């Protein structure tokens, strides 16, 4: 893994310019904007949030409530681990994960926003974070190396993924045996920069993940969910999309 991620900054597989990445599932179906690589997968039966600001809040405010520290503690991040930060943005979690995993660990910062990654790359260079690499992802594929990560972080960004079934299908192959996925998000409608926990559980479950930890945590401005692979990866044609939450806030069965 270290040989494959030896450079401090890697910008990989640039996206075609002008590709609409955050259209709702309905809009995508109407205008044919879906990536060709995603078309064998179902669309989500829910809206998708537009891309939000790359800086969720000020880093000082987040540190005052010990957000990253609390999340890393729950995720059992220790020196020597290899971790991916998907939706890295300005790098709030990236730089703190880099400090936690230490010189023998690795952090891959991943985003679909090229400008944000350029700014993060400058920060990585300025702060001499030699254990951080940067990878440009796509709407339906984080483009992470297979069997490489002990933890994958998805903080306040899952609701922005326009192709969640294709994305998760490919992302799970990047986990090492026993690796886990950490999601931090907010319990509100998906077109309002959040996702109901039961809908999140359902979508991950469709891709063979099992929920292993869940906690409502106001100090991290949302909830914490942790998943591990528990079943075989389904064929794309066999994935049944989850229904959007009903008026009672629960995901209808079937």
């Amino acid at each position: 893994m270290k040989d494959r991620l030896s450079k401090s900054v890697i910008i990989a597989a640039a996206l075609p310019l002008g590709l609409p990445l955050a259209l709702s599932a309905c809009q995508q179906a109407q205008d044919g904007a879906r990536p060709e690589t995603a078309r064998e997968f179902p669309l989500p039966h829910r809206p998708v949030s537009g891309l939000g600001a790359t800086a969720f809040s000020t880093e000082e405010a987040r540190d005052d409530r010990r957000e990253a520290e609390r999340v890393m503690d729950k995720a059992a991040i220790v020196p020597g681990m290899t971790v991916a930060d998907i939706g890295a943005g300005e790098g709030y979690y990236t730089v703190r994960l880099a400090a936690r995993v230490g010189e023998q660990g690795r952090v891959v910062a991943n985003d679909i926003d090229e400008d944000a990654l350029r700014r993060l790359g400058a920060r990585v260079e300025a702060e001499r974070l030699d254990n951080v690499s940067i990878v440009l992802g796509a709407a339906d594929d984080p483009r992470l190396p297979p069997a490489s990560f002990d933890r994958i972080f998805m903080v306040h960004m899952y609701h922005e993924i326009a192709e969640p079934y294709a994305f998760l299908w490919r992302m799970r192959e990047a986990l090492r045996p026993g690796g886990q996925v950490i999601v931090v998000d907010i319990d509100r409608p998906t077109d309002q920069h959040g996702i109901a926990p039961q809908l999140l559980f359902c979508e991950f479950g469709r891709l063979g993940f099992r929920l292993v930890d869940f906690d409502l945590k106001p100090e991290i401005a949302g909830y914490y969910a942790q998943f591990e692979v528990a079943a075989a990866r389904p064929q794309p044609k066999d994935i049944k999309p989850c229904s959007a939450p009903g008026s009672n806030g629960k995901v209808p069965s079937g």
Side-chain angles (χ1 to χ4, degrees), residues 119-158:
R119 293 192 296 274
L120 179 53
R123 180 178 186 177
V124 166
E125 294 287 356
E127 298 186 22
R128 299 178 182 272
L129 301 177
D130 293 335
N131 62 347
V132 174
S133 302
I134 293 178
V135 173
L136 179 66
D140 62 335
D141 186 354
R143 296 171 172 162
L144 297 173
S148 298
F149 297 94
D150 301 297
R151 299 287 187 273
I152 294 176
F153 276 60
M154 307 175 79
V155 179
H156 293 299
M157 59 75 61
Y158 181 80

Side-chain angles (χ1 to χ4, degrees), residues 6 12 67 192 206 253:
S6 58
E67 177 187 331
Q192 298 177 32
R206 293 290 197 261
S253 61

